Amino acid sequence: MSRNLDLDLIRTVVAVADSGSMTVAANRLHMTQGAVSQQVKRLEDVLGCLLFVRKTRKLELSPQGEQFLVKARQLLRLNDDILADMTGQSLRGHLRVGVPYDLVTPLAPAMKAFVEAHPHVEISLVCAASTELSEAVDSGRVDVALVESVASEAEGEVVRIEPLVWVGARGADAWQKRPLPLSMVDERCAFRRVVLGALADKDIAWRTVFESGNIEATAATVRAGLAITAWLVSTVPADLETLAPHAADLPSLPPFAICLRLPAAVQPAAQEFARHVRESMSSDAGAARAQLATIA
C-alpha cells in the first residue's frame, strides 16, 4: 500500500531547518510554536527518525535530517512549479533587491536560481551599506534586502552567522606596520565601527590607505600589500589570506550576522526570492565554517 508524505509537514520542517529555531519558524509560518513542534514530531513519527538535535540554543539537523532536507526542498520546489505552471500563477513584475557590495557574489547562486524559476520577474540590484539598505526597505525603495550587522545586534531574519576576519596579501607585512594601514570601503560600512573600536581597545594606531564604495578597489590595495582589511570569512578571495589575530598581534573581531530584511507588506516575488536566499546561503554555511578552521 502506497504512503504519501504531507507537504504541510515538510514545509514546517524546512522552515525550522532554515531558521534553526521553532519560534522563528512559527513566526514565519504564522503558527504557534506548539503547532510547529507537533508537526515536526508527526513527520518524525512517519519517517521513524529524529530530524533535529538541540545544540546549546539552536536546533541543528541530525544526519537523517540533513539527508531528508535535500530531497524535501526538491519535492517542495516541484510542487510549487507544478501549481504555478498549471494555474497560470507564475510570478511577474519587477523586484528591487538590496545587497551590500561584499555580498553580491555570495548572492549570485540565489539570484540565478530565482531567475531560472521565475523568468518573468525583472530583478534590479541596489548596492549600498547595510544601514542604507535597512532604511530603503522601511521606506519601500527596495522590496527585499540582505544586511550585515554584529550578530548580537541582528535585526530581521538571520540567514547565517559568520566570523569577521582580518585579510591581507600573501607574504605581505602590512599587518606589522604602525600606524596600521587599513583599506575600508567607506564610513558607512557595517564593519568599520567594529574594526576601529577593536583597534582602539588594543591601543593600536591606524591610518586609512583607501576608502571607496568600490570593494574591488579596496581589494586591489590589499593585493598590492599596501594595507589590510576586514571581511566576512566566506567572502575572502582565494588569492588573499586571513590573518590569525593572535599571530598577527591584532584584536579579535566579533561574528557578524547576514540577515534578510522584508517590509511589513511583502510582495509574492520578494517572499519567493527570500526563500531562494535561505536555501542558497544557509547551505553555504558549512563552507564558511571550513574556511574559519584554516585560520585557527
Side-chain angles (χ1 to χ4, degrees):
M1 179 178 178
S2 62
R3 300 169 62 194
N4 297 319
L5 292 170
D6 187 327
L7 290 181
D8 288 336
L9 301 184
I10 293 176
R11 286 192 191 279
T12 299
V13 168
V14 170
V16 174
D18 286 340
S19 62
S21 165
M22 289 196 183
T23 301
V24 175
N27 291 335
R28 185 189 303 168
L29 298 171
H30 305 291
M31 299 168 60
T32 65
Q33 182 176 340
V36 169
S37 178
Q38 290 175 5
Q39 290 202 351
V40 171
K41 181 65 167 58
R42 283 174 57 192
L43 188 55
E44 288 178 332
D45 290 342
V46 170
L47 299 176
C49 64
L50 290 176
L51 297 175
F52 295 98
V53 292
R54 181 167 292 281
K55 296 288 184 67
T56 60
R57 298 181 180 179
K58 184 177 181 180
L59 284 177
E60 293 187 2
L61 288 165
S62 66
Q64 295 92 336
E66 291 179 348
Q67 181 181 5
F68 165 82
L69 185 63
V70 174
K71 293 187 176 180
R73 293 194 194 281
Q74 296 172 351
L75 182 58
L76 292 178
R77 189 179 300 113
L78 181 59
N79 173 83
D80 296 345
D81 288 347
I82 290 173
L83 281 175
D85 290 343
M86 300 306 294
T87 62
Q89 295 177 351
S90 59
L91 295 175
R92 298 176 181 273
H94 188 76
L95 183 68
R96 298 162 299 175
V97 178
V99 58
Y101 297 98
D102 61 316
L103 294 184
V104 172
T105 298
L107 185 61
M111 290 191 291
K112 181 176 184 293
F114 178 86
V115 169
E116 290 176 348
H118 306 287
H120 301 299
V121 177
E122 298 178 354
I123 291 183
S124 294
L125 279 188
V126 177
C127 293
S130 291
T131 53
E132 294 176 284
L133 293 174
S134 291
E135 294 170 359
V137 171
D138 294 338
S139 64
R141 288 181 285 120
V142 299
D143 304 304
V144 57
L146 279 177
V147 298
E148 299 160 321
S149 69
V150 178
S152 60
E153 303 171 1
E155 295 182 358
E157 177 189 339
V158 176
V159 177
R160 75 187 195 201
I161 295 176
E162 285 195 27
L164 182 67
V165 296
W166 296 103
V167 181
R170 297 186 183 279
D173 64 352
W175 58 271
Q176 295 178 310
K177 297 177 180 179
R178 298 294 184 271
L180 182 69
L182 290 179
S183 183
M184 304 291 288
V185 174
D186 62 35
E187 63 182 10
R188 298 162 297 176
C189 173
F191 307 149
R192 183 183 178 92
R193 172 178 63 87
V194 170
V195 168
L196 298 187
L199 292 174
D201 289 343
K202 203 166 181 179
D203 200 25
I204 296 177
W206 57 275
R207 65 182 179 88
T208 298
V209 172
F210 179 76
E211 291 190 3
S212 168
N214 187 330
I215 195 168
E216 285 303 320
T218 300
T221 61
V222 176
R223 287 191 173 96
L226 299 177
I228 67 171
T229 191
W231 284 331
L232 296 182
V233 68
S234 69
T235 66
V236 178
D239 62 321
L240 298 178
E241 67 175 355
T242 54
L243 305 170
H246 61 275
D249 195 30
L250 295 170
S252 297
L253 300 172
F256 265 66
I258 300 174
C259 302
L260 268 169
R261 284 293 312 275
L262 293 159
V266 188
Q267 62 162 298
Q271 284 279 29
E272 181 66 3
F273 186 84
R275 182 178 71 81
H276 280 79
V277 171
R278 293 184 196 105
E279 292 185 5
S280 174
M281 299 194 75
S282 295
S283 63
D284 286 345
R289 288 194 295 269
Q291 193 169 1
L292 174 62
T294 66
I295 64 172

